Amino acid sequence: MMGRKAGVEKAMLTVFKRNKAAMQFYERLGYEEDEYSPRPKKLRNGVVKELDYLILSKSLIGGVKNHQEEGQRKRKAG
C-alpha cells in the first residue's frame, strides 16, 4: 500500500528456489517471475548452469481497493 501511495509501479524481490515455502507465500501474494530474473547460462564447455534464485515481482499499479478485491477473489477461488 505504501508503494502504491508513493507511485511505485512494481515491487521486486529475490527468493531462493529451494525455499519452497517462501516461493508459495509470494505466489499467493501475486508475485510472479520477473522479466529480469536470470535465465540458465550455457558455459563454454557446454554445461548449462542453473542459478539458485529467482527475481519475483508484482505490479503495484491500480488502487488499493482493486488489490483488496483481487485478494478476496483468490481466497474464494481456493
Side-chain angles (χ1 to χ4, degrees):
M1 189 165 38
M2 290 172 48
R4 281 189 178 96
K5 287 181 180 181
V8 175
E9 292 183 19
K10 148 168 101 167
M12 297 175 74
L13 57 90
T14 303
V15 63
F16 286 105
K17 292 177 181 178
R18 68 178 177 268
N19 190 344
K20 301 296 184 194
M23 294 277 293
Q24 291 173 349
F25 173 76
Y26 292 125
E27 287 172 357
R28 281 194 305 267
L29 292 176
Y31 284 85
E32 298 176 339
E33 186 172 354
D34 190 78
E35 63 184 307
Y36 294 106
S37 191
R39 304 291 178 239
K41 298 185 190 280
K42 188 172 183 180
L43 305 178
R44 281 184 253 168
N45 63 3
V47 173
V48 176
K49 171 106 170 110
E50 290 277 345
L51 296 169
D52 57 354
Y53 67 94
L54 292 172
I55 296 174
L56 304 180
S57 67
K58 114 180 189 175
S59 175
L60 298 181
I61 297 172
V64 173
K65 184 176 179 182
N66 290 343
H67 177 67
Q68 291 170 341
E69 290 171 357
E70 179 182 324
Q72 289 171 354
R73 278 196 304 272
K74 286 183 179 180
R75 282 192 291 281
K76 286 180 184 177

